[in-house]
Amino acid sequence: MRTRIVLFSHDSAGLGHIRRNLALAHALSAGTDGSVTGLLVAGRPEATRFRPPRGWDWLILPGIRHGEGAYVSRELDLDLATSVAMRGAAFRAAVTAFAPDLVVVDRHPLGVGRELEEGLRAVRAENPGCRVVLGLRDVLDAPRVVADEWSALGGAARIRTLFDAIWVYGDPRVHDVTTSGELPASLRDLVSHTGYLAEGRIDGPRHPVDAPYLLTTVGGGSDGVDLAVACAAAPVPEGIDHLVVTGPQMSAADRARVEAAAGSRTSVVRRVPDVLPLIRGAEAVVCMGGYNTICEVMSTTTPALVAPRRRRRAEQAIRAAALTRAGLVETLSPWSVDPIAIGRWFADRAGGTVPRRGVALDGLARIPSFAADLARGAATSSREGESIAV
Protein backbone atom coordinates (compact mmCIF):
# COMPACT_ATOMS: atom_id res chain seq x y z
CA MET A 1 0.00 0.00 0.00
CA ARG A 2 1.38 3.41 -0.98
CA THR A 3 2.00 6.04 1.67
CA ARG A 4 -0.27 9.07 1.20
CA ILE A 5 0.96 12.55 2.06
CA VAL A 6 -0.66 16.00 1.94
CA LEU A 7 1.47 19.16 1.99
CA PHE A 8 -0.47 22.42 2.46
CA SER A 9 0.63 26.03 1.94
CA HIS A 10 -1.63 29.08 2.19
CA ASP A 11 0.29 31.18 -0.38
CA SER A 12 -0.77 34.78 0.23
CA ALA A 13 2.47 36.21 -1.19
CA GLY A 14 5.31 34.92 -3.31
CA LEU A 15 6.17 31.35 -4.20
CA GLY A 16 8.30 30.51 -1.17
CA HIS A 17 5.79 28.26 0.59
CA ILE A 18 5.13 26.36 -2.64
CA ARG A 19 8.82 25.88 -3.39
CA ARG A 20 9.49 24.66 0.15
CA ASN A 21 6.70 22.09 -0.04
CA LEU A 22 7.86 20.98 -3.48
CA ALA A 23 11.34 20.36 -2.08
CA LEU A 24 9.77 18.35 0.76
CA ALA A 25 7.74 16.31 -1.73
CA HIS A 26 10.87 15.37 -3.64
CA ALA A 27 12.67 14.49 -0.40
CA LEU A 28 9.81 12.33 0.88
CA SER A 29 9.63 10.49 -2.45
CA ALA A 30 13.37 9.99 -2.95
CA GLY A 31 14.43 6.37 -2.95
CA THR A 32 10.93 5.00 -2.33
CA ASP A 33 10.48 3.48 -5.82
CA GLY A 34 6.98 4.88 -6.20
CA SER A 35 5.69 3.84 -2.78
CA VAL A 36 4.72 7.45 -1.92
CA THR A 37 1.84 9.37 -3.45
CA GLY A 38 0.89 12.88 -2.45
CA LEU A 39 -1.15 16.00 -2.86
CA LEU A 40 0.40 19.48 -2.92
CA VAL A 41 -2.32 21.91 -1.81
CA ALA A 42 -1.51 25.47 -2.84
CA GLY A 43 -3.19 28.82 -3.40
CA ARG A 44 -1.47 30.04 -6.56
CA PRO A 45 -2.05 28.70 -10.08
CA GLU A 46 1.63 29.42 -10.87
CA ALA A 47 2.47 26.40 -8.72
CA THR A 48 1.58 24.08 -11.56
CA ARG A 49 4.60 25.36 -13.51
CA PHE A 50 6.71 23.30 -11.13
CA ARG A 51 6.88 19.59 -11.86
CA PRO A 52 6.08 17.50 -8.75
CA PRO A 53 7.59 14.06 -8.15
CA ARG A 54 6.03 11.02 -9.78
CA GLY A 55 2.87 10.07 -7.91
CA TRP A 56 2.10 13.63 -6.76
CA ASP A 57 -0.45 16.13 -8.02
CA TRP A 58 -1.56 19.71 -7.33
CA LEU A 59 -4.77 20.93 -5.72
CA ILE A 60 -5.07 24.68 -6.34
CA LEU A 61 -7.38 26.61 -4.01
CA PRO A 62 -8.93 30.03 -4.70
CA GLY A 63 -6.21 32.57 -4.03
CA ILE A 64 -5.92 35.13 -1.24
CA ARG A 65 -3.47 38.01 -0.84
CA HIS A 66 -2.48 40.73 1.60
CA GLY A 67 -4.79 43.74 1.29
CA GLU A 68 -4.92 46.91 3.36
CA GLY A 69 -4.35 45.47 6.82
CA ALA A 70 -6.09 42.17 6.09
CA TYR A 71 -6.28 39.29 3.66
CA VAL A 72 -8.57 39.64 0.64
CA SER A 73 -9.58 37.38 -2.22
CA ARG A 74 -6.90 37.55 -4.90
CA GLU A 75 -8.97 37.24 -8.08
CA LEU A 76 -12.54 36.23 -7.30
CA ASP A 77 -15.18 38.84 -6.57
CA LEU A 78 -15.82 37.39 -3.12
CA ASP A 79 -15.49 38.61 0.43
CA LEU A 80 -12.79 36.95 2.50
CA ALA A 81 -15.22 34.86 4.55
CA THR A 82 -16.62 33.26 1.40
CA SER A 83 -13.14 32.63 -0.04
CA VAL A 84 -12.00 31.06 3.22
CA ALA A 85 -15.12 28.88 3.35
CA MET A 86 -14.45 27.64 -0.19
CA ARG A 87 -10.81 26.92 0.55
CA GLY A 88 -11.63 25.14 3.80
CA ALA A 89 -14.33 23.01 2.18
CA ALA A 90 -11.96 21.98 -0.61
CA PHE A 91 -9.25 21.07 1.90
CA ARG A 92 -11.63 19.01 4.01
CA ALA A 93 -12.98 17.19 0.96
CA ALA A 94 -9.44 16.42 -0.18
CA VAL A 95 -8.15 15.04 3.12
CA THR A 96 -11.35 13.06 3.70
CA ALA A 97 -11.27 11.42 0.26
CA PHE A 98 -7.50 10.97 0.06
CA ALA A 99 -7.17 9.61 3.64
CA PRO A 100 -3.52 10.62 4.07
CA ASP A 101 -0.99 9.01 6.38
CA LEU A 102 0.83 12.31 6.88
CA VAL A 103 -0.29 15.95 6.63
CA VAL A 104 2.26 18.77 6.80
CA VAL A 105 0.91 22.34 7.14
CA ASP A 106 3.37 25.07 6.21
CA ARG A 107 3.86 27.99 8.62
CA HIS A 108 0.24 28.91 9.48
CA PRO A 109 -1.26 26.12 11.60
CA LEU A 110 -4.89 26.76 10.69
CA GLY A 111 -4.32 28.52 7.36
CA VAL A 112 -6.17 31.80 6.80
CA GLY A 113 -9.25 32.49 8.91
CA ARG A 114 -8.97 29.00 10.47
CA GLU A 115 -9.81 27.49 7.09
CA LEU A 116 -8.03 24.23 7.96
CA GLU A 117 -9.51 23.60 11.39
CA GLU A 118 -12.57 21.66 10.27
CA GLY A 119 -10.52 19.52 7.89
CA LEU A 120 -7.85 18.77 10.49
CA ARG A 121 -10.49 17.81 13.05
CA ALA A 122 -12.07 15.53 10.44
CA VAL A 123 -8.69 13.88 9.90
CA ARG A 124 -8.39 13.30 13.62
CA ALA A 125 -11.87 11.78 13.84
CA GLU A 126 -12.02 9.78 10.63
CA ASN A 127 -8.39 8.80 10.12
CA PRO A 128 -6.76 8.56 13.57
CA GLY A 129 -3.64 6.89 12.19
CA CYS A 130 -2.75 10.02 10.22
CA ARG A 131 0.01 12.14 11.69
CA VAL A 132 -0.25 15.94 11.37
CA VAL A 133 2.84 18.16 11.39
CA LEU A 134 3.31 21.91 11.53
CA GLY A 135 6.31 22.92 9.41
CA LEU A 136 7.99 26.18 10.44
CA ARG A 137 10.77 28.23 8.90
CA ASP A 138 13.90 28.87 10.92
CA VAL A 139 12.53 32.34 11.77
CA LEU A 140 8.90 33.34 12.29
CA ASP A 141 8.84 37.05 13.13
CA ALA A 142 9.41 39.51 15.95
CA PRO A 143 8.28 37.79 19.19
CA ARG A 144 5.56 40.33 19.98
CA VAL A 145 4.02 39.84 16.53
CA VAL A 146 4.10 36.06 16.75
CA ALA A 147 2.65 36.10 20.26
CA ASP A 148 -0.43 37.85 18.90
CA GLU A 149 -0.73 35.27 16.14
CA TRP A 150 -0.60 32.34 18.58
CA SER A 151 -3.16 34.06 20.77
CA ALA A 152 -5.51 34.59 17.82
CA LEU A 153 -5.37 30.86 17.11
CA GLY A 154 -6.71 30.10 20.56
CA GLY A 155 -3.37 29.43 22.20
CA ALA A 156 -1.04 26.47 22.33
CA ALA A 157 -3.66 24.07 23.70
CA ARG A 158 -5.62 24.18 20.45
CA ILE A 159 -2.47 23.44 18.45
CA ARG A 160 -1.66 20.42 20.62
CA THR A 161 -5.06 18.90 19.88
CA LEU A 162 -4.48 19.08 16.12
CA PHE A 163 -0.74 18.52 15.62
CA ASP A 164 1.53 15.65 16.56
CA ALA A 165 4.84 17.38 15.85
CA ILE A 166 6.46 20.65 14.83
CA TRP A 167 9.33 20.52 12.36
CA VAL A 168 11.52 23.63 12.35
CA TYR A 169 13.47 23.87 9.11
CA GLY A 170 16.62 25.35 10.59
CA ASP A 171 19.61 24.91 12.87
CA PRO A 172 19.16 26.16 16.46
CA ARG A 173 22.85 27.07 16.57
CA VAL A 174 22.03 29.84 14.09
CA HIS A 175 18.57 30.81 15.36
CA ASP A 176 16.37 28.95 17.83
CA VAL A 177 12.64 29.70 17.81
CA THR A 178 12.20 27.73 21.04
CA THR A 179 14.27 30.26 23.00
CA SER A 180 13.74 33.46 20.97
CA GLY A 181 10.18 34.04 22.14
CA GLU A 182 8.65 33.04 18.81
CA LEU A 183 7.13 29.77 20.03
CA PRO A 184 4.94 29.21 23.11
CA ALA A 185 6.89 27.36 25.79
CA SER A 186 4.17 24.73 26.06
CA LEU A 187 4.83 23.63 22.47
CA ARG A 188 8.57 23.19 22.76
CA ASP A 189 8.37 19.47 23.43
CA LEU A 190 6.78 18.98 19.99
CA VAL A 191 9.71 20.62 18.18
CA SER A 192 12.36 18.86 16.14
CA HIS A 193 14.92 20.92 14.23
CA THR A 194 15.51 19.33 10.84
CA GLY A 195 18.35 21.54 9.64
CA TYR A 196 17.98 23.92 6.72
CA LEU A 197 16.28 22.51 3.61
CA ALA A 198 19.34 23.43 1.56
CA GLU A 199 21.40 20.52 0.27
CA GLY A 200 19.79 18.07 -2.12
CA ARG A 201 17.40 20.42 -3.92
CA ILE A 202 16.51 19.30 -7.43
CA ASP A 203 18.05 21.55 -10.10
CA GLY A 204 15.83 22.70 -12.94
CA PRO A 205 17.04 23.82 -16.37
CA ARG A 206 19.73 26.50 -16.38
CA HIS A 207 19.04 29.87 -17.96
CA PRO A 208 21.68 30.47 -20.68
CA VAL A 209 24.22 33.03 -19.53
CA ASP A 210 27.88 33.48 -20.42
CA ALA A 211 30.41 33.11 -17.61
CA PRO A 212 31.71 34.87 -15.66
CA TYR A 213 28.63 36.62 -14.35
CA LEU A 214 27.13 38.26 -11.26
CA LEU A 215 23.56 37.53 -10.22
CA THR A 216 20.82 39.58 -8.58
CA THR A 217 17.58 37.84 -7.65
CA VAL A 218 14.65 39.35 -5.74
CA GLY A 219 12.44 36.29 -5.37
CA GLY A 220 8.93 36.68 -6.72
CA GLY A 221 9.65 40.38 -7.20
CA SER A 222 6.49 41.88 -5.74
CA ASP A 223 8.49 44.03 -3.29
CA GLY A 224 12.00 43.88 -4.74
CA VAL A 225 12.02 46.77 -7.19
CA ASP A 226 14.24 49.14 -5.16
CA LEU A 227 16.92 46.50 -4.72
CA ALA A 228 16.69 45.39 -8.35
CA VAL A 229 17.04 48.98 -9.60
CA ALA A 230 20.07 49.64 -7.39
CA CYS A 231 21.77 46.41 -8.44
CA ALA A 232 21.02 47.01 -12.12
CA ALA A 233 22.66 50.44 -11.82
CA ALA A 234 25.68 49.16 -9.86
CA PRO A 235 29.09 49.26 -11.56
CA VAL A 236 30.18 45.86 -12.83
CA PRO A 237 33.84 44.72 -12.67
CA GLU A 238 35.62 44.57 -16.02
CA GLY A 239 35.22 41.27 -17.81
CA ILE A 240 32.13 40.19 -15.87
CA ASP A 241 28.48 40.36 -16.92
CA HIS A 242 25.51 40.83 -14.62
CA LEU A 243 22.10 39.10 -14.73
CA VAL A 244 19.16 40.62 -12.83
CA VAL A 245 16.10 38.39 -12.35
CA THR A 246 13.12 40.56 -11.42
CA GLY A 247 10.69 37.71 -10.64
CA PRO A 248 7.31 36.96 -12.23
CA GLN A 249 5.34 39.04 -9.72
CA MET A 250 7.11 42.35 -10.36
CA SER A 251 4.80 44.74 -12.21
CA ALA A 252 5.57 45.72 -15.79
CA ALA A 253 6.10 49.34 -14.70
CA ASP A 254 8.60 48.35 -12.01
CA ARG A 255 10.41 46.00 -14.37
CA ALA A 256 10.74 48.89 -16.84
CA ARG A 257 12.47 50.90 -14.09
CA VAL A 258 14.97 48.08 -13.60
CA GLU A 259 15.63 47.82 -17.33
CA ALA A 260 16.13 51.58 -17.59
CA ALA A 261 18.73 51.50 -14.81
CA ALA A 262 20.75 48.64 -16.30
CA GLY A 263 24.23 49.30 -17.65
CA SER A 264 25.64 47.90 -20.87
CA ARG A 265 26.82 44.61 -19.33
CA THR A 266 23.72 44.07 -17.20
CA SER A 267 20.81 42.10 -18.62
CA VAL A 268 17.35 41.97 -17.05
CA VAL A 269 14.98 39.01 -17.30
CA ARG A 270 11.58 38.45 -15.76
CA ARG A 271 12.01 34.82 -14.79
CA VAL A 272 14.34 31.87 -15.18
CA PRO A 273 13.54 28.13 -15.10
CA ASP A 274 15.46 27.71 -11.84
CA VAL A 275 17.62 30.18 -9.94
CA LEU A 276 19.67 27.52 -8.09
CA PRO A 277 22.03 26.60 -10.97
CA LEU A 278 22.55 30.31 -11.58
CA ILE A 279 23.51 30.90 -7.95
CA ARG A 280 25.86 27.94 -8.10
CA GLY A 281 27.68 29.30 -11.16
CA ALA A 282 27.74 33.00 -10.24
CA GLU A 283 30.81 34.96 -9.19
CA ALA A 284 28.69 36.56 -6.44
CA VAL A 285 24.98 37.03 -5.74
CA VAL A 286 22.80 39.76 -4.26
CA CYS A 287 19.43 38.57 -3.02
CA MET A 288 16.62 39.18 -0.58
CA GLY A 289 16.36 37.17 2.63
CA GLY A 290 13.52 34.76 1.92
CA TYR A 291 13.91 31.26 3.30
CA ASN A 292 14.13 29.39 -0.01
CA THR A 293 16.60 31.78 -1.63
CA ILE A 294 18.78 31.63 1.47
CA CYS A 295 18.70 27.82 1.45
CA GLU A 296 19.73 27.80 -2.20
CA VAL A 297 22.57 30.21 -1.46
CA MET A 298 23.78 28.13 1.49
CA SER A 299 23.91 24.99 -0.63
CA THR A 300 26.71 26.70 -2.61
CA THR A 301 29.99 28.48 -1.83
CA THR A 302 28.96 31.60 -3.77
CA PRO A 303 29.48 34.89 -1.86
CA ALA A 304 26.12 36.42 -1.02
CA LEU A 305 24.96 39.89 -0.03
CA VAL A 306 21.49 39.78 1.52
CA ALA A 307 19.09 42.71 1.50
CA PRO A 308 16.19 41.66 3.73
CA ARG A 309 12.64 42.77 3.09
CA ARG A 310 11.71 45.83 5.11
CA ARG A 311 7.91 45.57 4.98
CA ARG A 312 5.26 43.39 6.60
CA ARG A 313 7.48 41.09 8.65
CA ALA A 314 10.82 41.24 10.47
CA GLU A 315 11.51 37.61 9.50
CA GLN A 316 14.03 38.32 6.74
CA ALA A 317 15.97 40.87 8.79
CA ILE A 318 16.20 38.47 11.75
CA ARG A 319 17.36 35.65 9.47
CA ALA A 320 19.95 37.78 7.70
CA ALA A 321 21.38 39.05 10.98
CA ALA A 322 21.66 35.51 12.40
CA LEU A 323 23.34 34.16 9.26
CA THR A 324 25.71 37.12 9.15
CA ARG A 325 26.74 36.50 12.77
CA ALA A 326 27.48 32.90 11.78
CA GLY A 327 29.67 34.07 8.89
CA LEU A 328 27.47 32.49 6.22
CA VAL A 329 26.37 35.62 4.31
CA GLU A 330 26.83 39.37 4.40
CA THR A 331 24.02 41.84 4.93
CA LEU A 332 23.31 45.32 3.63
CA SER A 333 23.10 46.95 7.03
CA PRO A 334 21.71 49.45 7.50
CA TRP A 335 19.46 48.33 4.65
CA SER A 336 20.72 50.32 1.70
CA VAL A 337 20.04 50.40 -2.01
CA ASP A 338 23.09 52.42 -2.99
CA PRO A 339 24.40 51.27 -6.41
CA ILE A 340 27.94 52.44 -5.63
CA ALA A 341 28.10 50.40 -2.40
CA ILE A 342 26.73 47.35 -4.18
CA GLY A 343 29.26 47.84 -6.98
CA ARG A 344 32.11 47.95 -4.45
CA TRP A 345 30.85 44.70 -2.95
CA PHE A 346 30.72 43.10 -6.42
CA ALA A 347 34.32 44.16 -7.04
CA ASP A 348 35.54 42.87 -3.67
CA ARG A 349 33.73 39.52 -3.68
CA ALA A 350 33.48 38.42 -7.31
CA GLY A 351 35.18 35.07 -7.82
CA GLY A 352 35.61 34.35 -4.12
CA THR A 353 34.15 31.47 -2.16
CA VAL A 354 32.43 31.16 1.21
CA PRO A 355 32.77 27.74 2.87
CA ARG A 356 29.51 27.25 4.72
CA ARG A 357 30.51 24.75 7.39
CA GLY A 358 29.37 24.20 10.93
CA VAL A 359 25.67 24.52 10.12
CA ALA A 360 23.13 21.77 9.41
CA LEU A 361 22.13 22.09 5.74
CA ASP A 362 20.88 18.51 5.25
CA GLY A 363 17.26 18.92 6.33
CA LEU A 364 15.90 17.39 3.13
CA ALA A 365 17.92 14.24 3.67
CA ARG A 366 16.68 13.98 7.26
CA ILE A 367 12.97 14.64 6.62
CA PRO A 368 12.16 11.03 5.58
CA SER A 369 13.47 9.70 8.89
CA PHE A 370 11.38 12.26 10.79
CA ALA A 371 8.33 11.08 8.85
CA ALA A 372 9.20 7.44 9.46
CA ASP A 373 9.49 8.04 13.21
CA LEU A 374 6.01 9.56 13.24
CA ALA A 375 4.71 6.69 11.14
CA ARG A 376 6.04 4.14 13.61
CA GLY A 377 4.24 5.96 16.41
CA ALA A 378 1.03 5.94 14.39
CA ALA A 379 1.36 2.24 13.65
CA THR A 380 1.84 1.43 17.32
CA SER A 381 -0.99 3.56 18.63
CA SER A 382 -3.60 3.52 15.90
CA ARG A 383 -3.01 0.91 13.25
CA GLU A 384 -2.43 -2.28 15.19
CA GLY A 385 0.87 -2.99 13.53
CA GLU A 386 0.21 -1.63 10.02
CA SER A 387 3.32 0.43 9.20
CA ILE A 388 3.90 3.38 6.89
CA ALA A 389 6.90 2.99 4.63
CA VAL A 390 8.45 6.36 3.94
Side-chain angles (χ1 to χ4, degrees), residues 36-61:
V36 170
T37 185
L39 197 60
L40 286 151
V41 185
R44 299 192 74 98
E46 302 99 311
T48 58
R49 295 202 312 264
F50 299 103
R51 184 185 296 274
R54 184 165 64 93
W56 289 71
D57 207 346
W58 293 101
L59 172 63
I60 304 301
L61 305 178

Side-chain angles (χ1 to χ4, degrees), residues 290-309:
Y291 180 85
N292 289 286
T293 299
I294 290 298
C295 282
E296 288 168 335
V297 164
M298 290 203 298
S299 71
T300 76
T301 59
T302 304
L305 182 64
V306 178
R309 171 187 289 143

Side-chain angles (χ1 to χ4, degrees), residues 4 56 85 128 132 134 162 170 208 220 223 372 377:
R4 299 183 177 192
W56 289 71
V132 184
L134 173 60
L162 296 174
D223 58 358

Side-chain angles (χ1 to χ4, degrees), residues 24-202:
L24 289 172
H26 280 287
L28 288 163
S29 294
T32 62
D33 195 26
S35 65
V36 170
T37 185
L39 197 60
L40 286 151
V41 185
R44 299 192 74 98
E46 302 99 311
T48 58
R49 295 202 312 264
F50 299 103
R51 184 185 296 274
R54 184 165 64 93
W56 289 71
D57 207 346
W58 293 101
L59 172 63
I60 304 301
L61 305 178
I64 48 94
R65 63 178 175 83
H66 290 283
E68 291 297 324
Y71 289 112
V72 297
S73 178
R74 179 179 290 118
E75 301 291 348
L76 298 179
D77 184 18
L78 296 173
D79 58 65
L80 180 63
T82 304
S83 292
V84 165
M86 289 176 63
R87 287 163 57 98
F91 176 78
R92 174 169 181 168
V95 295
T96 299
F98 193 53
D101 301 291
L102 174 67
V103 175
V104 182
V105 177
D106 187 78
R107 175 61 178 92
H108 294 279
L110 303 182
V112 174
R114 300 194 179 187
E115 61 192 347
L116 303 185
E117 186 166 9
E118 186 176 338
L120 292 179
R121 292 196 182 281
V123 166
R124 284 287 197 235
E126 300 168 20
N127 185 14
C130 177
R131 286 299 180 253
V132 184
V133 175
L134 173 60
L136 298 179
R137 298 178 303 234
D138 57 334
V139 178
L140 301 182
D141 205 337
R144 65 183 184 281
V145 174
V146 186
D148 290 341
E149 292 180 356
W150 290 114
S151 178
L153 293 173
R158 184 185 299 270
I159 303 303
R160 294 192 73 95
T161 65
L162 296 174
F163 291 87
D164 299 291
I166 298 173
W167 294 346
V168 177
Y169 306 132
D171 185 334
R173 294 172 295 182
V174 177
H175 181 82
D176 189 350
V177 296
T178 68
T179 60
S180 66
E182 296 165 82
L183 193 76
S186 57
L187 295 179
R188 291 177 186 171
D189 63 304
L190 297 182
V191 169
S192 296
H193 285 87
T194 67
Y196 288 94
L197 308 182
E199 295 174 346
R201 292 199 172 213
I202 306 297

Side-chain angles (χ1 to χ4, degrees), residues 338-375:
D338 175 23
I340 300 303
I342 293 171
R344 284 198 298 266
W345 185 86
F346 279 148
D348 291 342
R349 298 293 184 268
T353 60
V354 178
R356 296 183 168 103
R357 306 189 186 99
V359 59
L361 302 176
D362 59 346
L364 290 172
R366 299 173 67 189
I367 284 292
S369 66
F370 281 70
D373 288 344
L374 281 175

